[in-house]
């Protein structure tokens, strides 16, 4: 049985994964590991002690992103009575977690669908989101033609950082605004609209 991680080691790991998440979303998976360590506020030796190479870090980042999104989806489904509100809450939380900005950037490096560590977490999250969509359809609050692929693809499109000179904060503020417009549009259409 492995020893539990010390509080400072756990904090360093969280800081490394958060820094990696933001930098991969902004600059792609080839971002220098020393830059990630610097943003995390740890020494390069600390990063390399935990992650011996880029692949190990990126796989851990994918697992962290998938785990966080699975937790967010489950919490939204369990805590919101209205299925549309559950879906909207999940979308907002997923945007803040930057999952839909990070995972597409990692697809050339990791394979969440076939990796034995990543695939079960990915499937758990997808199952919960599909159930929220199905429940919203059944409640008549989400147009029947809106699919899992529509929802997840739109989240990726909204979450990806915009090119150009805007600050990271301004880009994320726009992403939040665009997500609210998307949610508002879905709500306004309701379940009475048939999409082809």
């Amino acid at each position: 049985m492995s020893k539990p991680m010390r509080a400072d080691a756990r904090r360093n790991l969280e800081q490394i994964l958060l820094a990696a998440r933001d930098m991969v979303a902004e600059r792609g998976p080839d971002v220098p590991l020393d830059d990630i360590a610097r943003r995390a506020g740890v020494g390069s030796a600390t990063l390399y002690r935990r992650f011996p190479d880029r692949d190990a870090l990126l796989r851990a980042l994918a697992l962290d992103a998938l785990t966080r999104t699975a937790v967010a989806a489950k919490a939204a489904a369990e805590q919101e009575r209205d299925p549309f509100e559950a879906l909207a809450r999940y979308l907002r939380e997923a945007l803040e977690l930057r999952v839909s900005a990070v995972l597409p950037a990692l697809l050339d490096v990791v394979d969440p669908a076939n990796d034995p560590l990543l695939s079960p977490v990915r499937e758990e999250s997808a199952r919960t989101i599909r159930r929220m969509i199905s429940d919203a359809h059944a409640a008549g609050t989400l147009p029947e033609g809106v699919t899992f692929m529509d929802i997840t693809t739109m989240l990726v499109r909204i979450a990806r950082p915009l090119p150009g000179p805007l600050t990271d904060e301004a880009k994320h503020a726009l992403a939040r605004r665009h997500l609210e417009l998307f949610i508002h549009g879905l709500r306004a259409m309701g379940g009475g609209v048939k999409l082809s």
Side-chain angles (χ1 to χ4, degrees):
M1 190 159 102
S2 63
K3 291 190 315 190
M5 198 180 292
R6 289 188 344 244
D8 60 334
R10 187 170 49 252
R11 188 172 48 252
N12 286 344
L13 174 60
E14 288 172 5
Q15 289 303 112
I16 290 167
L17 289 172
L18 286 174
R21 179 196 74 181
D22 291 345
M23 295 192 84
V24 167
E26 294 159 15
R27 295 168 51 187
D30 295 328
V31 62
L33 298 187
D34 290 342
D35 289 1
I36 292 173
R38 216 174 352 271
R39 183 176 289 191
V42 302
S44 294
T46 299
L47 185 147
Y48 285 106
R49 193 166 38 252
R50 184 73 181 136
F51 303 106
D53 56 35
R54 178 180 304 280
D55 286 351
L57 174 59
L58 295 180
R59 189 165 181 246
L61 176 58
L63 179 61
D64 184 65
L66 287 166
T67 301
R68 288 175 189 265
T69 196
V71 168
K74 185 176 180 193
E78 289 176 353
Q79 295 169 13
E80 297 293 336
R81 288 181 175 271
D82 180 293
F84 187 91
E85 284 306 316
L87 182 60
R89 173 177 161 176
Y90 162 73
L91 290 171
R92 291 179 184 115
E93 290 183 19
L95 181 67
E96 295 306 316
L97 293 170
R98 302 191 81 179
V99 170
S100 297
V102 169
L103 287 177
L106 297 177
L107 290 180
D108 289 338
V109 186
V110 297
D111 183 4
N114 295 306
D115 184 297
L117 185 64
L118 304 177
S119 180
V121 183
R122 177 180 175 266
E123 286 308 312
E124 177 190 353
S125 177
R127 245 188 330 272
T128 305
I129 297 162
R130 286 180 196 280
R131 190 172 65 248
M132 283 190 278
I133 291 169
S134 175
D135 290 349
H137 285 153
T141 52
L142 183 68
E144 279 296 323
V146 176
T147 66
F148 173 81
M149 188 61 73
D150 294 327
I151 296 288
T152 55
T153 303
M154 187 56 75
L155 186 56
V156 168
R157 288 178 176 268
I158 291 169
R160 296 296 296 269
L162 294 169
L166 292 174
T167 65
D168 292 336
E169 293 81 18
K171 291 176 184 181
H172 199 61
L174 275 175
R176 286 187 187 112
R177 176 174 168 73
H178 294 159
L179 179 61
E180 291 306 320
L181 290 171
F182 176 61
I183 291 169
H184 180 76
L186 289 176
R187 189 188 321 269
M189 290 168 68
V193 176
K194 294 284 186 201
L195 298 176
S196 55

